[in-house]
Amino acid sequence: MAGVRRRPKHRKGSPPPATPVLDATPAGPVPLDEIERRIINGLQGGFPIRERPFLEAATTLGLGEDELIERIERLFKLGVLTRFGPLFNADRLGGINVLAAMALPESDFDRVAAFVNAQPEIAHNYRREHQFNLWFVGAAETPEKVESTFHYIESVSGYPVYRFPKEREFFVELKLHV
Amino acid sequence: MTGLTTNRQAVPVDALDLRLITATQSGLPLVPRPYHAIAEQIGLSVEEVMARLTRMLETGAIRRIGLVPNHYALGYRANGMSVWDVADDRVVELGEQIGSLVFVSHCYVRPRCLPLWPYNLFAMLHGKSREEVTAYAEEIRALLGEACGASDILYSRGILKKTGLRIT
C-alpha cells in the first residue's frame, strides 16, 4: 500500500541536531497581467481529464492552447506556481496526518524545532506567535506510527506534544484570488 | 489526549494506481496531450490513465486537478490560524459555513486541550496584511455569534519545514 513516509532504521539515541533547519524565505509578490490572473483564478481546480485538456481549459478561459501552456510555463519560471497537476489526498490513500503543537521556551526553541524537523514523519512545521509556538503535522501510514513519532519527540525533548487530530474536515479548497 | 480519531476513509488503490500517482504527483507534463505522455511513460493506454484519474477524483483520492500557486508570490504574506471555542452542538453546522468562506483555505474541528487550549474550530486565513486577516476574523466572529466564546489568531512567523505528499 501507499506508504506515505518511511521511518529510518536507526533513530533512537541519535542526538538532536544543533543547527535549526530554517528556510523558505518567500519570494515577494510578482506582478501579473490580466491573463495571468485569469489563469490563476480559473485553474485551481477542474482541469479536464480529456485528450486535449489544455485546449478545453484554454477555450473556457478565452485563450489558445499554446498560449495557455506558455503562460503556465512562465508562471513556473516566475515562481508563482509550485505545481500543476493532480493534488492527492493522503488520508484517502491510507495514510494519516495529525496536527500537533508544543509550547517551548525561547531558550530551547531552536534545538527542539530542529529535532522535530529531523523526524521523517514530520511533514510541515511552523513557528507561530502563541504560548504554543511550534505547530507541526505528523504523517505516516498508520496512526500508531504517528503516535510513536510524537512519543519519541516527547521523550527526547522533555516537552509535551499536544495532539490535535482532526475530528471533522470541511470542504478544503484553495481559493486564492489575484 | 492520545486518541487519534479522524474521518479518514481509505479507498483501495492498486499497483497501477500507485504507478500513476508516482508519475503525476509532482505534476503533469505541459504538453497538449499530457495524459498521453503519462500513459506512454508508465506503459498504460491513455484510456486507462484517464479512467483511473477520473475514478480517483470521484473517490476523493485526488482532491482536485489544477495549479497550485505560491501564496507569497501572490502577495499573501499574512498567514493566520484562527481558532475558536464553539459550542459542541453547533460546531459542525457552523464549520460548514466557515469552510465555504472564500478567504478560508482549510477548516477543521479538532479536540480542545483544557485548560491550556479551549478552541475546537480551526480556520486558516490568508491575506495580504494582518489587517486583512483581522477583518476576515471579524466576519467569522459575526457568523459564529453567541455560539462562540474565546478566540485567537496564531500568525505564522516562519515555515520551518514543508514537504508535500510523498508516495514511496
Side-chain angles (χ1 to χ4, degrees):
Chain A
M1 198 13 260
V4 174
R5 205 144 285 163
R6 300 216 184 279
R7 176 186 301 273
K9 295 222 160 40
H10 47 72
R11 53 203 290 266
K12 299 283 176 201
S14 56
T19 329
V21 190
L22 307 182
D23 79 298
T25 306
V30 174
L32 301 170
D33 68 18
E34 187 276 325
I35 292 176
E36 287 158 347
R37 287 199 296 272
R38 210 189 305 165
I39 293 170
I40 291 165
N41 291 336
L43 260 193
Q44 291 179 44
F47 188 69
I49 304 175
R50 304 287 288 266
E51 291 214 3
R52 300 279 292 275
F54 287 102
L55 179 63
E56 294 192 20
T59 306
T60 307
L61 292 165
L63 303 172
E65 183 184 41
D66 289 348
E67 190 182 11
L68 176 59
I69 291 175
E70 280 162 22
R71 290 287 186 156
I72 292 173
E73 282 170 348
R74 189 180 119 81
L75 291 170
F76 268 109
K77 286 199 191 95
L78 292 172
V80 173
L81 301 186
T82 60
R83 197 141 42 97
F84 184 91
L87 196 72
F88 291 96
N89 181 345
D91 288 355
R92 294 288 168 92
L93 294 172
I96 183 168
N97 291 300
V98 182
L99 179 70
M102 297 176 85
L104 300 171
E106 202 53 43
S107 57
D108 254 354
F109 186 90
D110 287 351
R111 182 181 70 86
V112 177
F115 179 67
V116 169
N117 274 1
Q119 308 310 311
E121 292 81 7
I122 301 304
H124 294 188
N125 192 10
Y126 287 85
R127 179 172 195 153
R128 292 193 180 277
E129 296 173 4
H130 190 270
Q131 181 192 354
F132 285 10
N133 49 4
L134 191 70
W135 288 80
F136 48 90
V137 173
E141 298 93 321
T142 63
E144 293 72 26
K145 220 167 170 178
V146 174
E147 181 52 35
S148 124
T149 299
F150 289 168
H151 187 76
Y152 180 56
I153 290 169
E154 286 178 320
S155 65
V156 173
S157 73
Y159 295 100
V161 170
Y162 300 94
R163 281 85 156 163
F164 297 99
K166 65 186 168 216
E167 295 176 335
R168 182 84 187 221
E169 173 178 344
F170 302 107
F171 187 64
V172 175
E173 184 65 59
L174 263 175
K175 293 158 284 191
L176 294 179
H177 190 83
V178 292
Chain B
M1 268 321 298
T2 53
L4 291 167
T5 59
T6 174
N7 58 350
R8 81 197 174 111
Q9 302 154 278
V11 294
V13 290
D14 64 18
L16 289 181
D17 288 330
L18 279 183
R19 272 159 73 188
L20 190 50
I21 293 168
T22 307
T24 58
Q25 63 187 337
S26 60
L28 288 174
L30 299 177
V31 296
R33 292 183 171 79
Y35 303 118
H36 289 71
I38 294 290
E40 199 166 310
Q41 184 191 329
I42 61 175
L44 290 178
S45 71
V46 69
E47 292 76 19
E48 183 79 27
V49 164
M50 295 201 298
R52 284 174 180 271
L53 288 174
T54 302
R55 190 178 52 77
M56 286 196 272
L57 192 60
E58 283 165 0
T59 59
I62 296 175
R63 285 185 191 279
R64 60 193 169 93
I65 306 178
L67 54 83
V68 181
N70 173 341
H71 282 207
Y72 292 100
L74 298 186
Y76 286 83
R77 303 190 69 83
N79 149 30
M81 183 171 78
S82 71
V83 292
W84 310 84
D85 176 12
V86 180
D88 288 325
D89 59 347
R90 297 207 51 208
V91 70
V92 169
E93 160 218 342
L94 289 164
E96 297 271 6
Q97 292 180 41
I98 287 160
S100 68
L101 294 173
V102 73
F103 48 82
V104 174
S105 65
H106 305 74
C107 186
Y108 302 98
V109 175
R110 302 186 184 277
R112 295 183 182 84
C113 191
L114 297 170
L116 288 173
W117 189 262
Y119 314 111
N120 59 340
L121 188 70
F122 291 54
M124 293 300 315
L125 306 177
H126 303 281
K128 295 182 178 168
S129 64
R130 290 199 178 188
E131 291 69 30
E132 190 180 341
V133 169
T134 309
Y136 293 151
E138 285 307 313
E139 282 189 49
I140 293 179
R141 159 70 60 190
L143 206 152
L144 291 172
E146 288 179 3
C148 183
S151 69
D152 203 347
I153 304 176
L154 283 67
Y155 286 101
S156 167
R157 265 186 58 193
I159 303 172
L160 306 179
K161 183 175 185 179
K162 187 168 187 178
T163 53
L165 170 68
R166 299 273 166 70
I167 299 291
T168 51

